[in-house]
Amino acid sequence: MAMIQSDEFRKGRDRIVRIQDATTARLTASDGVGVAYTTPITAGIYLRGLITANFSMSPNVQEFTLLGDDGYRDSVATGMAGELACSAYFTGPDDGTIDPAFQLILDAEANRDKEIYVEVLTYIGEDSSNNHKYWARAFNSAVTGASETAAGDGLIEMSWTFQSKGQIYVGTLDSGTSKIDPFA
């Protein structure tokens, strides 16, 4: 079986996941629909061998029934939580180096107090000024549900979930006239 080259992971991906140790990333102030998102990541690590990255945001809901409302149920959102379920290939240490994304995820899996700042960037297109726009969701997270599939041919396949801790920031990231290239 032949080794899969990193170039084969370049499949016109429209979803990019970038991570950084949360102790070095400061939370951004941009939040809300239509608001510009400014990334606080200075030395982010791209998940280059990403297979899946399924993001879901769900409100924490408190249900109630009003007296005199004929017994119909209603609810109010009391908070918000997000999860990013990922699976990715990581290369084994053939050249003696450890993939920094893999190391950060393993560190957070082993230490429940370690947080990772996660950005989920979904490409939404070019504006009239030829600037490339991404819909951004960003949050501090814990790593949960990590599992590893049998490695083969120098690859490690891992699945895990980034579970949000604290506020989830949303907005539009403007990358200028160039698309973000995780392989650059």
Side-chain angles (χ1 to χ4, degrees):
M1 187 175 226
M3 285 288 288
I4 297 175
Q5 300 300 315
S6 63
D7 285 352
E8 293 180 40
F9 289 120
R10 297 181 190 236
K11 292 183 180 172
R13 190 173 313 272
D14 289 333
R15 166 135 325 145
I16 297 168
V17 176
R18 179 164 56 186
I19 62 175
Q20 184 172 330
D21 189 324
T23 58
T24 57
R26 60 177 173 72
L27 289 176
T28 180
S30 56
D31 179 34
V33 176
V35 174
Y37 169 77
T38 305
T39 181
I41 288 185
T42 55
I45 306 165
Y46 292 99
L47 294 178
R48 293 184 174 141
L50 204 55
I51 303 166
T52 60
N54 300 318
F55 181 79
S56 62
M57 202 153 70
S58 56
N60 299 323
V61 176
Q62 179 67 48
E63 292 184 359
F64 61 90
T65 304
L66 293 174
L67 294 174
D69 196 17
D70 294 330
Y72 290 101
R73 179 179 64 190
D74 204 347
S75 63
V76 63
T78 58
M80 191 67 71
E83 290 187 344
L84 178 65
C86 295
S87 59
Y89 288 114
F90 296 99
T91 56
D94 289 341
D95 61 356
T97 61
I98 298 171
D99 184 319
F102 186 51
Q103 184 67 61
L104 186 56
I105 292 164
L106 291 177
D107 291 347
E109 174 195 13
N111 181 355
R112 290 285 170 223
D113 293 328
K114 184 165 190 63
E115 293 183 9
I116 296 175
Y117 188 77
V118 178
E119 288 180 336
V120 183
L121 306 173
T122 304
Y123 184 68
I124 55 178
E126 271 183 85
D127 66 9
S128 59
S129 300
N130 295 326
N131 286 348
H132 294 274
K133 304 285 187 162
Y134 293 83
W135 183 246
R137 300 169 189 101
F139 51 91
N140 279 352
S141 70
V143 171
T144 61
S147 65
E148 189 178 320
T149 306
D153 244 3
L155 293 176
I156 299 167
E157 183 178 349
M158 188 170 177
S159 298
W160 71 94
T161 300
F162 289 118
Q163 192 169 52
S164 70
K165 288 183 148 188
Q167 187 169 358
I168 300 170
Y169 294 90
V170 296
T172 305
L173 175 70
D174 185 337
S175 73
T177 56
S178 299
K179 283 180 81 171
I180 296 172
D181 183 2
F183 297 93

